[in-house]
Amino acid sequence: KEGLYSCLPQARQLLVLVNPFGGKGQAQHLFYSHVLPMLTEADIGFNLVVTERQNQARELVKDEDLSRWDAVVTVSGDGLLYEVINGLMERSDWQSAIKKPLGILPGGSGNALAMSINHYTGNDPVNSQDLLTSSTFTLCKGLVAPMDLVSITTASGKHLFSFLSFAWGFISDVDIESEKHRTMGPARFTLGTLIRLCSLRTYKGRLSYLPAAEASGEVSSFTSSQISQNCQYNVCNSNNSYNPQSNANEVDHTSTASVAEVSRVVPLDQPVPNHWTIVKEEDFVLVLAIYQPYLGEDFFMAPMVSKPDDNLIHLFYVKAGISRASLLKYFLAVEKGNHLQQSSPHVVYVPIKAFRIEPFTSKGVMTVDGEALECGQVQGQLHSRLARIISG
Ligand code: ADP
Ligand code: MG
């Protein structure tokens, strides 16, 4: 598969990071019961680090001699890999460090990337321990694929790197409010969704984005087939004047940005360029930018994503005014990925390359890959194939 795909060496050494706090608190136990026997069978060497606190993994990979390892693997939810990716990007040698193959084994309550990789391998969806077995098998096979990342810049000057999603509104609230139900495992998100539906609220702010529509042949053919498949669905095929030549510098396709110089889109304190779309509504129920098919084990949010480097951010937003019944129907359909067939004037999907969110108040929370971020002005931008992931 092209030169971008590769295979881990036969005799390999893994750095395995386990978060004993992830999910129902069983990640370490699951590692010994399910993962260890398969690694032993496959003759794969590893060093196990059980984290003792948040951000330990992030600090560890920041200073680690990476040449000792063929891959860095996390056993937790998506949050521990988020720590690893951001730790790698904080290194002075981030350009080579971020190319270290990464692996994920599901041991958390939010196992979106593990679900997504299971999807990329062509397997049927599986949950909990079957997902862990499938993911461990993928790790043993050791095929490495490129993966897009999205850089998130905040008005306070933070630069974060995201492999899964950025959320504001309903979804970030559910993510954070359901923390207290983490002993339920992935079901905490379903419960959290129902609770939030009962106390539905709206979030005020401005949303702008750079549409992907005419960025490349691949993107336009994707968009038109989406439209013909789901013609009643509210796809924003923006006829905006995005011109790939004149804006060639704006989105980084070459993955040569550094953390400091990563923002090729206009800085947050300047207005978005004319060829961006500014959404005219300023009242939202949710805004979600996602770049993997699964948002959680039971949330097949972006079924159009078929590989970890599809070079797109998939933007979903729900405008205020949607009824509780319609929103419930929408979320019920998300479980199987059938929500794209529903038509609702309040629900919009659009493939993009960059976005900006300017909330009118700083109340509430946003999430990056399920991790909390204080609510404020943010900008996100796609970086094609910046990282590498062990996938099918
Ligand atoms: P889950 O899917 O269950 O939320 P995550 O992998 O997302 O699992 O981890 C949840 C949170 O735990 C993340 O914010 C992560 O940074 C943090 N974390 C990592 N190691 C530890 C630890 N040893 N103790 C407490 N929190 C930790
Ligand atoms: Mg999490």
Side-chain angles (χ1 to χ4, degrees):
K1 286 188 194 172
E2 300 174 42
L4 290 156
Y5 294 79
S6 61
C7 205
L8 292 179
Q10 205 75 65
R12 73 191 74 143
Q13 279 294 329
L14 309 178
L15 173 61
V16 178
L17 304 164
V18 179
N19 171 8
F21 174 77
K24 301 177 184 181
Q26 295 197 311
Q28 194 176 353
H29 167 73
L30 288 169
F31 179 82
Y32 285 109
S33 61
H34 285 67
V35 182
L36 182 64
M38 287 175 75
L39 294 183
T40 308
E41 186 72 26
D43 211 9
I44 294 171
F46 66 91
N47 262 32
L48 186 69
V49 176
V50 180
T51 62
E52 289 169 2
R53 58 181 169 82
Q54 186 171 41
N55 285 327
Q56 186 186 342
R58 186 177 185 145
E59 290 155 21
L60 189 151
V61 299
K62 213 174 144 181
D63 298 323
E64 181 68 15
D65 173 8
L66 294 172
S67 66
R68 294 169 65 202
W69 314 111
D70 296 302
V72 180
V73 177
T74 58
V75 190
S76 187
D78 298 301
L80 195 62
L81 188 66
Y82 175 76
E83 281 192 29
V84 167
I85 285 176
N86 282 279
L88 293 174
M89 291 303 291
E90 282 162 12
R91 293 168 63 113
S92 54
D93 66 345
W94 63 272
Q95 271 168 309
S96 55
I98 196 62
K99 299 301 177 199
K100 182 61 59 179
L102 304 173
I104 191 161
L105 298 177
S109 40
N111 301 311
L113 184 60
M115 273 306 275
S116 298
I117 290 172
N118 184 67
H119 180 71
Y120 300 140
T121 60
N123 294 338
D124 288 336
V126 283
N127 289 113
S128 52
Q129 297 185 7
D130 289 339
L131 180 61
L132 179 58
T133 303
S134 158
S135 304
T136 310
F137 186 67
T138 300
L139 173 65
C140 292
K141 276 202 298 187
L143 294 172
V144 181
M147 179 167 74
D148 301 337
L149 294 183
V150 168
S151 66
I152 304 286
T153 309
T154 71
S156 56
K158 277 192 188 130
H159 290 284
L160 303 165
F161 289 86
S162 165
F163 61 89
L164 172 62
S165 63
F166 183 89
W168 174 51
F170 192 101
I171 289 175
S172 49
D173 279 358
V174 167
D175 224 323
I176 300 309
E177 289 163 7
S178 69
E179 278 283 337
K180 53 181 177 287
H181 305 299
R182 64 166 45 252
T183 53
M184 296 179 69
R188 75 173 163 108
F189 301 111
T190 309
L191 177 71
T193 300
L194 295 174
I195 293 174
R196 253 293 126 204
L197 267 171
C198 296
S199 51
L200 193 59
R201 54 168 290 218
T202 60
Y203 306 80
K204 290 184 196 305
R206 186 169 302 126
L207 170 65
S208 353
Y209 58 82
L210 172 61
E214 286 134 53
S216 74
E218 194 187 320
V219 173
S220 18
S221 64
F222 156 75
T223 312
S224 44
S225 71
Q226 270 303 117
I227 290 167
S228 56
Q229 272 167 27
N230 307 299
C231 41
Q232 351 99 295
Y233 187 68
N234 200 357
V235 174
C236 265
N237 183 19
S238 170
N239 289 324
N240 248 282
S241 58
Y242 175 60
N243 175 336
Q245 264 89 49
S246 67
N247 299 306
N249 283 337
E250 198 161 291
V251 172
D252 173 34
H253 295 286
T254 55
S255 308
T256 52
S258 78
V259 179
E261 73 198 25
V262 89
S263 284
R264 299 260 181 101
V265 291
V266 293
L268 263 169
D269 56 6
Q270 288 171 29
V272 296
N274 285 337
H275 57 282
W276 281 49
T277 299
I278 302 175
V279 175
K280 71 175 189 304
E281 290 86 359
E282 299 190 329
D283 257 315
F284 300 95
V285 166
L286 70 85
V287 177
L288 173 70
I290 182 165
Y291 3 104
Q292 304 284 350
Y294 281 87
L295 183 62
E297 287 189 33
D298 307 315
F299 293 80
F300 192 19
M301 196 68 212
M304 67 290 275
V305 183
S306 62
K307 51 183 189 166
D309 60 331
D310 76 345
N311 204 13
L312 288 171
I313 296 173
H314 300 268
L315 176 70
F316 292 81
Y317 63 91
V318 176
K319 297 181 258 182
I322 191 168
S323 69
R324 281 196 179 85
S326 301
L327 195 57
L328 175 63
K329 205 169 131 225
Y330 185 77
F331 276 113
L332 288 174
V334 167
E335 189 184 340
K336 297 275 180 286
N338 296 329
H339 52 298
L340 292 159
Q341 273 96 48
Q342 290 181 0
S343 75
S344 161
H346 294 102
V347 179
V348 181
Y349 161 71
V350 52
I352 63 169
K353 296 282 187 177
F355 62 88
R356 180 184 287 187
I357 301 173
E358 296 161 278
F360 293 159
T361 75
S362 58
K363 270 206 305 246
V365 68
M366 296 171 147
T367 51
V368 187
D369 298 357
E371 299 297 305
L373 179 71
E374 72 275 13
C375 189
Q377 283 184 23
V378 286
Q379 196 156 271
Q381 175 191 351
L382 187 79
H383 301 273
S384 173
R385 297 175 170 165
L386 187 52
R388 296 170 77 205
I389 189 81
I390 299 169
S391 183

